[in-house]
Amino acid sequence: MVAPAVTPEPEVTGSPARPRAWVLARALAALAGGGLVYLSVPPRTVWWLAPLGFAVLGLVLHGRRLKAALGYGFLFGLGFMTPLLAWTGIFVGPVAWLPLSALEALLVAVACMAVPLVMRLPGGVVFAALIWVAGEYLRSLFPFGGFPWGRIAFSQPEGPYLYLAALGGTPLIAFAVTLTGFGLGEVVRRIAAREVRLLVVPALAVVVPLVAAIATGPLVGTDADAGEVTVAAVQGNVPRAGLDFNAQRRAVLDNHVRRTEQLAADIRSGAVAQPDLVIWPENASDIDPLRNRDAYQLIDRAAKDVGVPIALGAVVVGDDKLPRNTVILWDPERGPVDTYTKRQLQPFGESMPMRSFFKIFSSAVERAGNFVPGDKATVFAMDDARVALVTCYEVAFDGVVRESVLNGSNLLAVPTNNATFGRSEMTYQQLAMDRVRAVEHGRAVVVAATSGVSAIVRPDGTVSQRTELFTPAALVERVPLRTATTIADRLGAWPERVMVAVALAALVFTAVRARRGRVK
């Protein structure tokens, strides 16, 4: 028996002006929908704007043909990605920001192109949400080794969807948020079309993800099953913001040594508790202390003064004369005893893809580095803590964080350097990622930034302390050590793989069914 052909809704007919007006209205709505999703992202706390944005997207895409869906999806992507990634152009201008935003928007559009197809299936809102997850997976792989900065999960540290990270990581949050949004859009459309008897499935799509998220909250583990330690995160600050902030490399190192010595003085006076370990930021020493005697002595002096191990970010030059973005474990008695080298390098910063091409448009690309990536996750033994390390940009990558945490850790540290991006929203977007990772892996997270924002994040994703931007500071706090693995840890990448596979299967089924209908 041949399945009946499935055809899209007919386009609006009438006078030429009326279709053009509808097209313009849908285009503006698509841009606005993407803008709503952007506005849901920290530092704002209006997490509920994300599902509203997807409700608008679902309404715009309903019944559209492939080319139209691609175009509207591109506009939605521009409305989301262009303001989200504005920080990439703070000091190098639009040469990186606008092409990157357009490329990310195009990848969003590819996923949106498939949404009207799968929406024709029974329970189509579910498959539409799965298509979005598949699109996020694509963006985590391409371009330049993946750029997952725009994952929907990172817009949700303030809302109930956050708790779903402990069950299925960032893909499950994205599925829940988009399902709620597409369901809401379908409810509105069916009410407008007076199809009230067909509201059950979309209404469930709105309610079930929210109820599931709220119900998961009490299940998020926060107990100190491996004891507690007192941690300190040192923010030394930088001489100035911008790409040339580390032109005064010695000043950056001096700042962190000085703030650590002030911390030691505060400990001796009883103003703060004695920490068991200290975390310095990424790039705290852009002078290689393993090759430069002065830098070695400064760091060693600070470690001896505070009396506990320090994990510090440094630029280390290998035997090949190329730099590595490295975290060094510095013992107050034995000096440097272990290292971790950043594995996921930041394009247009630590590496420069297509350098000769982009140089045509701006000489600023020559400032991008030529760093060598590391090849293994490392856990630092610091007192009773087993500290997993994820450096700055790496926190956006599910697999990198998971591999680090599951390497015997009971605490997570994120040394970072956001001085390049000034007072932009970048540092707040990254802190949102840290909060999602805390819940996803059931670990307290210590964030140490050169210029801010440094923070202490509890295993339930709450921020107990944070610094201001461009302010020297030291955060000291007692935090739980946890070795328990979450369901998300145990499932690993499988939730995402299954969701992507189901999305692709639904797309193939729809395409085959439509083809058979045409043949008939």
Side-chain angles (χ1 to χ4, degrees), residues 298-309:
L298 280 170
I299 296 168
D300 199 54
R301 188 183 79 195
K304 284 180 166 56
D305 197 17
V306 78
V308 296

Side-chain angles (χ1 to χ4, degrees), residues 458-481:
R458 311 297 290 188
D460 62 358
T462 57
V463 177
S464 55
Q465 290 191 66
R466 57 184 285 180
T467 67
E468 298 298 325
L469 286 170
F470 297 100
T471 304
L475 304 178
V476 180
E477 185 167 327
R478 192 83 173 161
V479 298
L481 300 176

Side-chain angles (χ1 to χ4, degrees), residues 30-75:
L31 275 170
L36 286 173
V37 177
Y38 159 69
L39 290 173
S40 73
V41 177
R44 293 159 296 278
T45 58
V46 283
W47 56 271
W48 43 270
L49 288 179
L52 288 183
F54 283 101
V56 173
L57 178 65
L59 287 168
V60 169
L61 294 180
H62 181 80
R64 303 280 74 81
R65 299 182 187 276
L66 293 182
K67 286 177 63 176
L70 182 68
Y72 293 132
F74 182 68
L75 291 173

Side-chain angles (χ1 to χ4, degrees), residues 35 65 78 89 123 129 143 159 167 217 238 308 316 377 383 418 433 443 481 511 514:
R65 299 182 187 276
L78 285 178
L167 299 183
V238 299
V308 296
V316 172
D383 194 72
N418 301 326
M433 300 176 194
R443 299 290 189 272
L481 300 176

Side-chain angles (χ1 to χ4, degrees), residues 423-443:
R423 295 183 179 273
S424 71
E425 293 183 0
M426 184 271 190
T427 190
Y428 303 104
Q429 294 172 9
Q430 191 177 71
L431 180 57
M433 300 176 194
D434 300 324
R435 297 175 65 182
V436 172
R437 299 308 183 193
V439 176
E440 181 181 4
H441 301 293
R443 299 290 189 272

Side-chain angles (χ1 to χ4, degrees), residues 28-232:
L28 292 175
L31 275 170
L36 286 173
V37 177
Y38 159 69
L39 290 173
S40 73
V41 177
R44 293 159 296 278
T45 58
V46 283
W47 56 271
W48 43 270
L49 288 179
L52 288 183
F54 283 101
V56 173
L57 178 65
L59 287 168
V60 169
L61 294 180
H62 181 80
R64 303 280 74 81
R65 299 182 187 276
L66 293 182
K67 286 177 63 176
L70 182 68
Y72 293 132
F74 182 68
L75 291 173
F76 179 86
L78 285 178
F80 176 31
M81 293 294 179
T82 306
L84 182 79
L85 303 179
W87 52 268
T88 62
I90 291 294
F91 290 102
V92 297
V95 65
W97 168 37
L98 295 182
L100 178 61
S101 300
L103 180 55
E104 290 295 296
L106 182 59
L107 294 175
V108 168
V110 170
C112 289
M113 186 170 58
V115 169
L117 296 176
V118 299
M119 284 285 279
R120 303 169 192 168
L121 297 172
V125 290
V126 175
F127 297 110
L130 291 172
I131 288 291
W132 182 270
V133 174
E136 287 199 344
Y137 176 69
L138 173 63
R139 287 189 278 120
S140 73
L141 301 175
F142 174 85
F144 314 127
F147 189 75
W149 205 267
R151 281 187 179 270
I152 295 304
F154 301 146
S155 71
Q156 297 300 306
E158 296 290 344
Y161 293 107
L162 173 65
Y163 303 127
L164 294 174
L167 299 183
T170 61
L172 185 59
I173 296 178
F175 174 71
V177 172
T178 53
L179 179 58
T180 301
F182 286 136
L184 180 60
E186 194 65 2
V187 166
V188 171
R189 188 192 69 80
R190 292 187 182 187
I191 290 176
R194 298 183 179 179
E195 299 173 351
V196 180
R197 62 187 180 84
L198 301 177
L199 287 178
V200 174
V201 172
L204 287 174
V206 175
V207 174
V208 170
L210 270 171
V211 171
I214 294 169
T216 303
L219 305 179
V220 173
T222 59
D223 59 302
D225 63 35
E228 294 182 335
V229 292
T230 301
V231 301

